[in-house]
Amino acid sequence: MTRQALVADLLSLPKGELDSRFPIQTVSSGLPFLFVPLRSIAAMREINFRTDVWERHFSRNPDRQHIFTFTTETEYDDSTVHCRMFAPAMGISEDPATGAASGPLGAFLVEHGAIDKKADGNYVIRSEQGFEMGRPSFIDIMINKNNQQYEKVKIGGTAIVVGQGELYVP
């Protein structure tokens, strides 16, 4: 089975829903994520993550344990990408906002020509995530790259409290 067919099976999608403009590629800034480009938000909404396929083909390879899907079709005009992240190896069925993947996502998009450089020399990306979970989030990514050298990668955003608690240790 080809890599594309295996990933499509993992996500319960037809292979044609993968966006062939970009590779399926692992990118890391310490914690590796397998980036999977999809053609549309409709495909993102249709994902049914198959843990049985993940167990058999992805779980034992640290470079393929954390699956990050994205499309350049967005819900909001000021967003750049729409994303979903699955990390069963960490006990996370789906994450509404993945900061650890955002820097690598920005570098991936810059490296594959998906983003235009701004006049100040920076690339600016807005990632939307968590919509399918009912927990929308936005992460802003700024990349500074000169020639082949990444000089600066910044991420930021806003958050809302969805729960809190206190722990008392005797």
Side-chain angles (χ1 to χ4, degrees), residues 47-65:
I47 291 173
N48 181 19
F49 191 84
R50 294 194 44 203
T51 54
D52 62 320
V53 174
W54 180 83
E55 282 285 341
R56 281 194 313 273
H57 300 286
F58 295 82
S59 66
R60 290 177 188 85
N61 184 337
D63 288 341
R64 299 184 341 176
Q65 288 180 334

Side-chain angles (χ1 to χ4, degrees), residues 78-161:
D78 62 344
S79 294
T80 312
V81 291
H82 184 92
C83 307
R84 292 181 77 179
M85 196 283 284
F86 309 91
M90 293 190 287
I92 300 170
S93 57
E94 184 167 357
D95 188 23
T98 312
S102 295
L105 172 66
F108 177 97
L109 294 169
V110 167
E111 201 62 29
H112 294 291
I115 306 299
D116 293 326
K117 190 182 265 192
K118 299 289 183 188
D120 65 1
N122 293 313
Y123 297 87
V124 179
I125 300 151
R126 173 163 267 197
S127 170
E128 54 184 44
Q129 189 178 333
F131 286 70
E132 291 76 11
M133 304 173 67
R135 294 177 60 195
S137 67
F138 298 93
I139 297 177
D140 296 313
I141 308 160
M142 192 275 293
I143 306 278
N144 183 276
K145 180 182 178 190
N146 285 315
N147 298 318
Q148 295 303 312
Q149 183 69 33
Y150 286 87
E151 295 181 350
K152 195 180 292 184
V153 177
K154 290 183 175 181
I155 66 166
T158 58
I160 59 169
V161 176

